[in-house]
């Protein structure tokens, strides 16, 4: 079952394996960040017809069905994980979707969307900071500089230049859950890179199992929280379709194809575009006004991504 991983050293006389920090696939996390950025305004539309936890369930279900159909069509679902490998896949699935989405929803309910957006959004920085410890990756100084610039920019974009009252008495529970959500997704990124060669699955299969194994947990919390659909609203249904196919299947595929050992810190910096894309989409679609602080934050995010190239 344990296939030779992409990160294995080449045999003597074999052609060298390309540096994972270079090449077109190294930019795929940026694509994931862009797609997840569009998910925020799409979520606002989806909530016109669906409860938040139901949206999480439908996202996972659409990801499972669409990617499962694609894998069956091209006969790409060929791995046979062992019991220990199934356990690893379950842990990764819960961290990336099964627990992450419900914890995020409850963090917003118990705090506010602004605090939650910033605290959850620090997971790329957490992942990059822990790569030397968990993956043995030697991150470059420019990666951390880029992350610092992008994180500062994300703060300005999300807060609109106003101080955030993080972990105050009224938001402590929600902010703590938001931080937990960041830790969960950071765990998904790091352990995914550490365990995927051991499990021996492709990026497509890994993404498929992320949705498949998360479905029971997401279905349970969605059904217990209320109906799976509150009103038949065409824009809301379209938004859920976008969230499932692009904000889930497309974004997770881009992340799992693009992230490679030796390039996690760089790829994490690219994910910091999420709040910038969300703000720009909201500005274009809903006509909201961007403040000077947000434009400055946008420039810092772009500079941070460029520094981390």
């Amino acid at each position: 079952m344990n296939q030779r991983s992409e990160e294995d050293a080449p045999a003597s006389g074999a052609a060298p394996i390309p540096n994972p920090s270079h090449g077109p696939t190294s930019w795929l996390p940026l694509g994931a960040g862009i797609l997840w950025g569009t998910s925020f305004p799409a979520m606002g539309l989806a909530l016109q017809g669906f409860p938040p936890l139901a949206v999480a369930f439908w996202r996972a279900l659409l990801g499972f069905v669409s990617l499962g159909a694609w894998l069956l069509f091209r006969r790409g679902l060929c791995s046979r994980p062992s019991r220990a490998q199934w356990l690893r896949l379950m842990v990764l699935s819960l961290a990336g979707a099964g627990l992450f989405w419900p914890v995020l929803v409850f963090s917003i309910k118990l705090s506010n969307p602004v605090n939650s957006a910033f605290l959850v959004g620090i997971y790329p920085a957490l992942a990059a900071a822990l790569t030397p410890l968990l993956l043995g990756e030697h991150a470059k100084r420019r990666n951390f500089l880029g992350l610092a610039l992008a994180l500062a920019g994300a703060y300005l974009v999300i807060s609109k230049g106003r101080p955030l009252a993080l972990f105050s008495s009224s938001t402590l529970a929600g902010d703590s859950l938001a931080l937990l959500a960041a830790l969960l997704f950071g765990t998904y990124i790091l352990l995914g890179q550490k365990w995927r060669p051991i499990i021996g699955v492709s990026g497509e299969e890994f993404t498929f199992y992320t949705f498949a194994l998360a479905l029971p947990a997401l279905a349970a919390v969605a059904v217990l929280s209320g109906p799976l659909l509150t009103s038949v609203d065409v824009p809301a249904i379209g938004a859920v379709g976008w969230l499932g196919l692009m904000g889930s299947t497309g974004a997770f595929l881009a992340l799992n194809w693009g992230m490679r050992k030796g390039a996690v810190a760089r790829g994490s910096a690219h994910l910091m575009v999420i709040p910038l894309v969300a703000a720009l989409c909201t500005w274009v679609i809903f006509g909201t006004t961007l403040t000077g602080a947000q434009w400055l934050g946008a420039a810092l995010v772009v500079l941070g991504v460029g520094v981390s190239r």
Side-chain angles (χ1 to χ4, degrees):
M1 171 57 204
N2 292 337
Q3 302 170 352
R4 185 178 183 273
S5 73
E6 302 168 28
E7 293 80 16
D8 288 339
S12 176
I17 295 176
N19 189 323
S21 298
H22 300 86
T25 58
S26 65
W27 290 95
L28 284 174
L30 179 61
I34 292 172
L35 289 174
W36 276 325
T38 67
S39 296
F40 282 88
M43 186 71 176
L45 292 173
L47 292 176
Q48 301 302 313
F50 299 85
L53 290 172
V55 173
F57 165 74
W58 289 116
R59 288 181 69 172
L61 181 62
L62 286 172
F64 166 74
V65 171
S66 61
L67 191 51
W70 169 251
L71 286 169
L72 288 175
F73 173 76
R74 57 189 299 270
R75 297 181 180 179
L77 195 62
C78 56
S79 299
R80 297 292 182 270
S82 65
R83 183 177 298 179
Q85 291 163 344
W86 276 118
L87 179 60
R88 286 189 171 97
L89 284 170
M90 177 61 76
V91 170
L92 292 170
S93 175
L94 290 175
L99 289 177
F100 172 74
W101 279 328
V103 170
L104 173 59
V105 169
F106 285 115
S107 76
I108 296 172
K109 286 185 176 181
L110 294 175
S111 179
N112 58 69
V114 176
N115 281 21
S116 294
F118 176 71
L119 289 170
V120 172
I122 69 173
Y123 72 80
L126 293 175
L130 292 174
T131 51
L133 177 63
L134 293 180
L135 300 179
E137 176 180 323
H138 178 65
K140 299 176 181 178
R141 290 181 180 177
R142 71 182 184 212
N143 296 139
F144 289 114
L145 175 60
L147 270 168
L149 290 170
L151 190 61
Y155 182 91
L156 290 175
V157 170
I158 293 170
S159 69
K160 299 182 179 181
R162 296 188 292 266
L164 297 181
L166 300 173
F167 299 102
S168 66
S169 57
S170 61
T171 66
L172 179 60
D175 290 352
S176 299
L177 286 177
L179 186 58
L180 174 60
L183 290 170
L184 284 170
F185 208 83
T187 298
Y188 177 76
I189 291 175
L190 292 169
L191 290 186
Q193 297 311 304
K194 188 178 182 67
W195 287 350
R196 209 179 89 190
I198 300 172
I199 300 170
V201 293
S202 67
E204 291 170 307
E205 289 176 300
F206 181 38
T207 306
F208 171 77
Y209 287 127
T210 296
F211 300 138
L213 297 177
L215 271 176
L218 291 173
V221 295
V223 170
L224 290 174
S225 67
L228 296 180
L229 175 67
T230 53
S231 65
V232 180
D233 183 273
V234 174
I237 294 173
V240 168
W242 176 268
L243 288 167
L245 297 177
M246 303 306 296
S248 297
T249 300
F252 273 86
L253 278 175
L255 177 73
N256 292 328
W257 273 337
M259 283 287 188
R260 293 290 185 271
K261 282 187 177 180
V264 172
R266 179 183 186 274
S268 296
H270 290 176
L271 295 173
M272 296 304 301
V273 303
I274 294 173
L276 169 58
V277 174
L280 291 176
C281 286
T282 304
W283 173 50
V284 171
I285 297 172
F286 300 109
T288 58
T289 301
L290 296 181
T291 67
Q294 286 179 299
W295 284 113
L296 174 59
L300 287 175
V301 170
V302 173
L303 178 61
V305 171
V307 168
S308 297
R309 71 185 188 281

